[in-house]
Structures are given as structure tokens and as C-alpha cells.
Amino acid sequence: MRMTSLFAALLGAGLLAHSPLGLAKGSLVFCSEGSPSGFDTAQYQSGTDNDVSEPLYNRLVEFERGATVVEPSLATDWSISDDGLVYTFNLRPGVKFHSNPGFTPSREFNADDVVFTFNRMLDPTHPFRLAYGTVFPYFNAMGMDKTIARVEKTGPMTVTFTLNHPDATLLQNLAMSFASVISAEYAEHLMARGTPSDITHKPIGTGPFVFARYQKDTQIRYRGNTEYWAPDQVKLDNLIYSINVDPSVRVQKLIKGECQVSIHPRPADLEALRRDESINLIEKPAYNLGYIAYNTRHKPFDQLEVRQALDMAVNKEAIIKAVFQGAGQVAVNTMPPTQWSYDESVADAPRDLDKARQLLRDAGVKEGTEITLWAMPVQRPYNPDARLMAQMLQDDWGKLGLKVNIVSYEWGEYLKRAKSGEHDTLLIGWTGDNGDPDNWLGTLYSCDAIGSHNHSMWCDPEYDALMKKAKGTSDREQRSELYRQAQHYIKQNVPITPIAHSTVSQPVSTRVQDYRVSPFGKTTFRDVGID
């Protein structure tokens, strides 16, 4: 066997994936943070799940790389009716779906695939949805099941969305991961085989990379899509996600050249990365929020006075100093200052332990009352060390006479249990998904979002009416005024305590060409090359 053939065989088998010498020209290794729950973007919601699916799929519209602007993708153009209720999309011809060892598509992408993608989320009686046995939490949390009346094929390459009411956020929402278009033909094939869940385990999309192999807690391998509809955007032969839960391991692999892009360095590692001439540390203003969610369905957190007491006892400045180590700023509002409609007049209550103790007494909370505080097991852009933050909160609330028990689970289990409302208080956070205020104020606090991203389990009809009114107008100034009212309403009702906005730091090897940091925290490799 020739040496080049041996090298290719070893690389294809994954035997050289952890060695810098094992990288052929055109291959890139990304040090990622965790194993995904699956590759069906409509079913899962975490950043980890979205990241691993990003190479595989396209949507009708996409966000411009590194920006919040929507641009054409599987739809070449679109029109909106005067009443804002009908969106007509003209689809891109000549787009091919991927193949895998068990399936080869017999046709190109068309309107049937778009209709299937959205109808399985819209219709609870859809045959594939019933066979799959799953739900679509983000779609429902954003109220899109109530917004979209129907999705119809009006021509082989034309699709029409008819809405129940105007929604100024629709195009931004359709650019998000959950709206990735999947193959109706592949779904039919899986149904016939009796394996519909393979749509998340053996994914097929139209994206710039093709799924090759996944080994849990180790790696995910993709290969460049040689039949991609925008061939100039595919500049890598191989893309490898090297899964490393430990951030110190990720940094060492990056420094040694064993990966070329890494996610979420610890604040303590930033200075060393800045000094390393082989690494380009890209730093961006925060578009995120780390916060405490109070479960308003658990006693005593159903009482406003209790939430106010815990809120005013938090020493945010100390947390910023110890946890973020200078790579963050104190948060007082429900979304970051970089979001349009942010209201600078929203302010924290002064930190006052005596008043907090009195509020607890007034609410009938006795000294020694036990509560749980859940701490994330992983590092996130909005919280680099949840365990340390939890310990500091344990001390803050201990000064009020509360006994705080810190709880944690594996990340997938943590999210699952949190959505079902098992926690008392919870450390969590959010990186904006689409550039619209509703993605903060609606997605995290609406009644529809309970069981998804509303970890406070807070449902207020007056607040919900405000959100619906804001989404129903396309006038930005009117929307901004309504969202400013919403920010004050949340501050008064304290379903959360905002803690911090972190600076986003993305370390990238100087060998990597044209990598752009997404404001939404996505890791995108279309148009990315390597020297």
C-alpha cells in the first residue's frame, strides 16, 4: 500500500484524529464542549445540539455570517402580503440532499420538503410525528404553532405560509436552527423501515457538510459536501468535532495544534491565549445573559416578597470579579445592552440584607428553611463557572438564614429536569438566537414558553398580552415602546435575577481563514478554510 493511501485510510478510520500530524490539507478540528442529544434541530434546544447540526442543514433564510441580517438560502426570494398574513417563498432550484449508506435521494429539494418540515411541527396528528413520538419545544415556545395557520405547496418550487395574525419576527425566526429543512423523501423511507428516529441519529440535510460518523463523548466527523449548491462556501475536506468537556483540555489541544478552533475558554486562560502568536483570540461584546430563575410554581417562590429578598441579597460585583475575572459586566435587565429596545432606566434594587430578611419574615419563611439551587455542570458563554457562582449565592442567601443545597446533573438531564420544573432556583442563561427583542422577552418569559425556556414557570396574562401586541406590529418604534414596558414589568415581578453579560472570546488558530464569530453563539464553518 502506498504511504498516501495508508494515510487516507487511517484518517478516514479516525485513527489520527487526535494527532496534529493526522490532519490532511483541508481538514479542521473543532474542540467542542459536549455530546449532542441528537441531530434533529427541531427537537433539541441547547447550543451544543445546534452547533453539531449547523454544518448539515440549510433553512429558507439564513443569518449573514457574523451578523443578524437575514439573507436568502433555500428560498431565493419572498413576498409579504399587504396585511402581513401571507408569506410566499420561491425556492432555490438544483439543491441536492445528502446520501448515507441506507438512503440515496431520487430527487432534488422541492416544496414538498418545506411543507413536510413545518407540518410535522404544526400538526400533532402528523403521521411522522406520531411515529417519531416527539415534540418540538422551541417551535411551540415561540408560539409559532399559534402564529402559523398553514404551510402550503403552491407550485413545485413555491411555498406559502399563511398566518393567523401578523408576526414581525417571522423571517428572523425562520433563520433559526429549529427551522432547518429536512427531506420528506428520507422521512418516508424511514417510516417504511419502521425507524423514524433515525432522522436524528443518521441525519441528512442539504448543508455544506455531510454527516460521516459520531462516537459519543469522543468525536463527530463530517466531510465536505462536493455537491453543495454554493460550492465556493465549502473549503474543507473534513470537519471534525473533538468533544472535550474539560475547558483546560480544550485550551491545551488548541495550543498544541490538535484543534484549530475551540469553544468557551475560561477567563483564567484568556491571557495565555492572547500571548500565543499561533492563536487569534477574537473578542466580541456580549449578546448574552446569565441569570437565576426562580420557580414561581414552588413555594415559597410563588410569593413576590421572597423573590425580591433573594434578588436584593445577591452580591453581583463579587460574582463578576470571582467568576468572570474581568470578562463580564453586571446585568440589571432581562436582555443585553446591545439589543435594540434595551431600556437603560431599568435598575436593580439596592443590596440590602436587613430588608431582605424582613421580606422573608413577612412572607412567613422561617430561618433554616431549605431550598435547592441548581448549578450547570458545563461551562457556557454566559457562565464560565456555575459551581463557583452557586457557592457564592449559597453564602449570600445563607446570610438571610436560608439553607441552600446545591444540585447538579449531567447537562442533558439538567435541561430535561429544569423544563419539567423540578428546581427551586436555577442557574441558566441565554444567548440571543435571532436579533429580535421577542427572542428574549417572549421566548424566556411567555406562558407558551413554560416547559421549554421559561424556567421560572412564570405565566402572567397581562405580560403575555403585551408580547402579542409587540409582535403584531411591524413599526419598530411602537415595538420598542412595548418592549420597554415589558422590561419594567419583569423587573417589578422578579421571575429572574439577572447576573451578568459576559464578553465572548473565541480562540482560533492563525491557520484558520475567514472564521467569523456569530452574535448568536453558533459555530459556523461554511466559507471557512485552513492554511
Side-chain angles (χ1 to χ4, degrees):
M1 179 181 286
R2 293 172 57 194
M3 184 61 68
T4 52
S5 300
L6 174 61
F7 181 87
L10 291 172
L11 180 63
L15 299 179
L16 300 179
H18 300 290
S19 167
L21 298 176
L23 296 177
K25 179 177 173 60
S27 295
L28 183 147
V29 178
F30 168 53
C31 276
S32 65
E33 64 177 341
S35 295
S37 302
F39 295 85
D40 181 359
T41 59
Q43 184 180 169
Y44 307 111
Q45 304 173 78
S46 76
T48 301
D49 296 317
N50 288 340
D51 257 5
V52 301
S53 300
E54 186 67 17
L56 300 171
Y57 299 106
N58 294 121
R59 292 157 284 281
L60 291 173
V61 293
E62 309 267 1
F63 292 111
E64 180 183 318
R65 287 197 311 133
T68 62
V69 179
V70 169
E71 61 184 11
S73 183
L74 291 180
T76 55
D77 57 81
W78 53 89
S79 60
I80 307 171
S81 64
D82 291 341
D83 61 7
L85 293 177
V86 180
Y87 287 65
T88 301
F89 294 90
N90 295 315
L91 305 182
R92 186 178 300 278
V95 176
K96 297 182 179 181
F97 278 99
H98 307 157
S99 299
N100 65 26
F103 173 77
T104 300
S106 65
R107 62 166 177 80
E108 295 179 342
F109 158 76
N110 64 28
D112 292 329
D113 303 305
V114 180
V115 171
F116 168 78
T117 295
F118 288 93
N119 278 349
R120 72 170 184 144
M121 293 187 280
L122 272 173
D123 181 6
T125 66
H126 192 281
F128 187 83
R129 176 168 172 171
L130 293 175
Y132 195 178
T134 190
V135 294
F136 303 98
Y138 208 160
F139 185 80
N140 295 337
M142 299 182 72
M144 295 193 74
D145 55 332
K146 298 179 177 65
T147 296
I148 301 172
R150 57 189 177 275
V151 179
E152 299 171 295
K153 173 182 177 179
T154 49
M157 299 299 288
T158 309
V159 174
T160 297
F161 285 63
T162 302
L163 309 187
N164 289 314
H165 49 80
D167 185 348
T169 68
L170 184 70
L171 284 176
Q172 299 289 118
N173 291 346
L174 292 181
M176 292 167 58
S177 294
F178 75 89
S180 297
V181 174
I182 58 178
S183 167
E185 185 185 19
Y186 184 46
E188 292 173 5
H189 168 79
L190 295 178
M191 284 278 284
R193 288 170 53 93
T195 59
S197 64
D198 278 356
I199 209 157
T200 194
H201 304 305
K202 301 176 181 178
I204 281 180
T206 59
F209 294 92
V210 179
F211 178 79
R213 184 168 67 256
Y214 167 45
Q215 185 177 354
K216 184 176 173 62
D217 298 331
T218 303
Q219 66 172 228
I220 310 167
R221 298 183 68 88
Y222 310 85
R223 63 178 186 274
N225 184 2
T226 57
E227 298 183 310
Y228 192 50
W229 54 269
D232 290 346
Q233 293 182 3
V234 184
K235 298 179 179 178
L236 297 169
D237 298 320
N238 299 287
L239 175 62
I240 303 149
Y241 279 40
S242 176
I243 300 169
N244 303 274
V245 176
D246 188 335
S248 64
V249 172
R250 294 196 296 266
V251 167
Q252 288 306 309
K253 288 173 74 72
L254 183 70
I255 291 173
K256 293 177 182 178
E258 296 178 11
C259 62
Q260 290 74 52
V261 180
S262 181
I263 197 169
H264 309 325
R266 298 174 302 178
D269 293 324
L270 294 178
E271 191 53 43
L273 291 170
R274 291 189 187 100
R275 291 196 304 266
D276 194 316
E277 295 182 356
S278 69
I279 293 169
N280 178 23
L281 185 65
I282 307 170
E283 297 181 276
K284 294 284 186 180
Y287 191 60
N288 58 39
L289 171 69
Y291 62 93
I292 308 164
Y294 303 110
N295 188 343
T296 59
R297 292 185 174 179
H298 277 200
K299 292 184 180 300
F301 308 100
D302 57 336
Q303 298 182 71
L304 175 59
E305 294 82 2
V306 173
R307 302 195 299 271
Q308 289 174 326
L310 270 62
D311 176 81
M312 68 174 57
V314 176
N315 189 339
K316 295 184 183 180
E317 288 76 12
I319 289 174
I320 294 294
K321 183 176 180 180
V323 176
F324 292 85
Q325 299 182 34
Q329 65 185 93
V330 168
V332 299
N333 208 335
T334 51
M335 57 188 188
T338 49
Q339 174 65 62
W340 64 266
S341 81
Y342 181 89
D343 193 330
E344 294 183 356
S345 69
V346 173
D348 275 338
R351 187 166 187 257
D352 188 333
L353 297 181
D354 289 335
K355 184 176 180 180
R357 293 186 192 99
Q358 185 60 52
L359 284 169
L360 290 179
R361 285 194 293 269
D362 292 345
V365 178
K366 296 179 180 179
E367 188 168 346
T369 295
E370 292 192 29
I371 65 171
T372 61
L373 169 61
W374 288 25
M376 297 175 296
V378 295
Q379 183 184 10
R380 303 300 298 154
Y382 47 75
N383 191 334
D385 193 338
R387 185 75 186 182
L388 176 57
M389 186 182 293
Q391 290 167 349
M392 297 182 74
L393 291 170
Q394 185 181 48
D395 183 63
D396 287 339
W397 293 343
K399 292 172 183 174
L400 305 182
L402 297 173
K403 183 177 180 182
V404 181
N405 300 313
I406 298 174
V407 175
S408 192
Y409 297 95
E410 180 273 330
W411 184 224
E413 188 71 12
Y414 186 93
L415 293 173
K416 179 181 176 182
R417 289 172 178 263
K419 287 169 189 172
S420 66
E422 293 184 23
H423 56 286
D424 287 337
T425 63
L426 175 86
L427 290 180
I428 197 69
W430 189 251
T431 298
D433 277 331
N434 66 13
D436 194 275
D438 182 76
N439 189 242
W440 298 91
L441 299 171
T443 300
L444 302 183
Y445 312 109
S446 70
C447 298
D448 286 336
I450 291 175
S452 177
H453 294 299
N454 185 344
H455 297 298
S456 300
M457 307 291 165
W458 181 66
C459 178
D460 187 302
E462 186 175 341
Y463 180 83
D464 256 31
L466 197 61
M467 289 296 95
K468 289 179 171 62
K469 188 175 180 181
K471 287 180 70 175
T473 177
S474 58
D475 185 284
R476 179 172 281 204
E477 187 47 49
Q478 289 181 26
R479 294 186 74 206
S480 291
E481 174 55 32
L482 292 168
Y483 288 133
R484 284 191 285 267
Q485 293 176 34
Q487 291 164 60
H488 283 278
Y489 197 93
I490 291 176
K491 197 66 177 177
Q492 293 161 8
N493 285 275
V494 202
I496 71 161
T497 292
I499 297 292
H501 309 294
S502 72
T503 301
V504 174
S505 301
Q506 181 77 68
V508 178
S509 166
T510 54
R511 296 176 55 211
V512 175
Q513 300 168 338
D514 201 21
Y515 183 89
R516 300 184 191 180
V517 174
S518 164
F520 310 124
K522 289 184 177 181
T523 308
T524 303
F525 290 101
R526 61 184 167 98
D527 266 326
V528 174
I530 190 164
D531 181 7

